[in-house]
Amino acid sequence: MSSAELYINLANICSNWNALNSLSNGVAGAVVKANAYGLGIKEVGISLAKAGARDFFVAVAEEGAALRRAIGPGPKIYIFSGHMVGDTTLLRDFHLIPLINSAKQLLFHLENSSNQLIGIQLDTGMNRLGMEATEFQELNETISKLKPELIISHLACADDQTHPMNENQLVNFNAMTKDINCKKSLAATGGILLGKQYHFDITRPGIGLYGGNPYSSAKRVIGLKLPVIQIRTVLPGETVGYSNTWTAKKITKVATVSSGYADGIFRSMSNKATLYYNEIPNSIIGRISMDLIGVDVSNCKEDPDYLWLLNGTQSIDDLADEANSIGYEILTALGQRYNRIYI
Ligand SMILES: *Cc1c(COP(=O)(O)O)cnc(C)c1O
């Protein structure tokens, strides 16, 4: 079998959730949008619900429905995109709570499903999703009567603890919500690390659960092991891969491993990233192709039959650095061809 193995450590995801829950002033929810950051909404959702998570967040109603099927009734599932045309039946049948983003969405919601639970999303400066201050103020009475389950906003710069935007958004959030009696939520992973005044009733960690920065004390969650298909010796002057971007300067032992950009190993890591054989680092040489990668394994004493791209030595953030990317993008790009092994 030549498909690579992606190990997903559900126990460590739960352990990260427990740690972030303990850090939170109130309780930690769990953000499982984008198929739980690429790791499997079903498996991750079930594990986190067992660990005690009671408030889940996803981007769109379809993800909410998939999560509800996996975890059953009980935990609350909030939808960041609110109530869109076409969502009404899903929201009702799967007991999903839309986070209403605008007066327009509120009106649409009331016209289509008057007895459903809602939450509200506010814009405190990011200008991405949520009601603006004036819009929210004008609707204050209507919204108070609807007794929202939760009011949230999202921080734009929480990964930088010293950024003045954090404090600005906190001030805005407090000002906008001071007269409404309702549970509140402002902090994602970065916000949790900013301190208790950012926590409110429910925090919303995503990346921290999956082992990524800015939660640097997170336990590692994934391992990625790529099988070696073939090993050859390349002589000085010979080239490796498409467009001859790498030329041997000395006799080089080259391994061709199974996986490529179709599996989420970005082409921009060509001639840059490192794969590990036990503790031995081995450089990618030449262009990454769709299904294959060339690696200089001259430093390995024996011929390796596999190489690790993600392991205890190389985290998603280390790898992201090689591609001018972020851990979030590495995770959500993880391909569908991997043999996924949950541990
Ligand atoms: C994605 C997202 C989160 C989770 O953010 P992390 O940085 O992954 O912890 C929380 N809230 C909102 C609104 C989001 O879009």
Side-chain angles (χ1 to χ4, degrees), residues 13-192:
I13 294 177
C14 291
S15 157
N16 289 334
W17 181 80
N18 274 311
L20 290 163
N21 189 40
S22 306
L23 271 181
S24 298
N25 216 11
V27 296
V31 179
V32 294
K33 63 194 182 189
N35 195 28
Y37 290 41
L39 301 184
I41 194 165
K42 185 170 166 221
E43 292 80 359
V44 171
I46 290 171
S47 301
L48 286 172
K50 271 198 199 130
R54 283 293 164 270
D55 302 277
F56 288 88
F57 296 85
V58 293
V60 296
E62 285 80 358
E63 295 176 337
L67 179 63
R68 180 64 78 202
R69 280 195 196 97
I71 65 176
K76 289 179 179 157
I77 302 177
Y78 294 94
I79 314 294
F80 289 139
S81 59
H83 191 160
M84 304 272 289
V85 176
D87 287 348
T88 309
T89 319
L90 282 179
L91 294 175
R92 186 194 60 216
D93 292 355
F94 292 92
H95 300 280
L96 311 174
I97 307 175
L99 292 162
I100 302 293
N101 286 298
S102 62
K104 189 175 160 214
Q105 277 201 347
L106 185 62
L107 193 65
F108 182 78
H109 181 80
L110 293 177
E111 279 170 354
N112 287 279
S113 43
S114 52
N115 291 324
Q116 298 280 145
L117 300 179
I118 61 159
I120 302 287
Q121 180 154 206
L122 300 177
D123 177 52
T124 50
M126 189 177 183
N127 285 310
R128 191 177 68 167
L129 281 180
M131 292 184 188
E132 302 271 332
T134 45
E135 194 181 18
F136 181 57
Q137 205 159 20
E138 280 161 18
L139 293 167
N140 215 313
E141 220 170 291
T142 321
I143 289 172
S144 293
K145 276 193 204 131
L146 292 168
K147 295 196 168 43
E149 290 290 305
L150 185 67
I151 297 194
I152 81 158
S153 187
H154 193 48
L155 299 169
C157 305
D159 57 341
D160 176 358
Q161 302 218 356
T162 63
H163 204 295
M165 184 68 166
N166 299 322
E167 175 83 29
N168 287 347
Q169 289 193 262
L170 178 63
V171 168
N172 290 343
F173 189 63
N174 277 322
M176 285 167 84
T177 58
K178 68 179 182 329
D179 295 330
I180 192 155
N181 182 19
C182 164
K183 282 192 180 168
K184 294 168 195 170
S185 172
L186 179 62
T189 304
I192 297 174

Side-chain angles (χ1 to χ4, degrees), residues 277-300:
Y277 181 61
N278 302 325
E279 293 303 306
I280 303 164
N282 306 277
S283 303
I284 290 183
I285 54 178
R287 288 258 164 95
I288 292 171
S289 16
M290 188 183 292
D291 324 295
L292 299 164
I293 302 173
V295 185
D296 178 353
V297 292
S298 306
N299 290 332
C300 298

Side-chain angles (χ1 to χ4, degrees), residues 231-240 246-255 285 295-300 303:
I231 291 185
R232 77 185 69 245
T233 300
V234 171
L235 301 177
E238 287 193 275
T239 56
V240 171
W246 185 89
T247 306
K249 295 197 180 75
K250 53 182 198 293
I251 293 177
T252 306
K253 189 159 70 168
V254 177
I285 54 178
V295 185
D296 178 353
V297 292
S298 306
N299 290 332
C300 298
D303 285 356

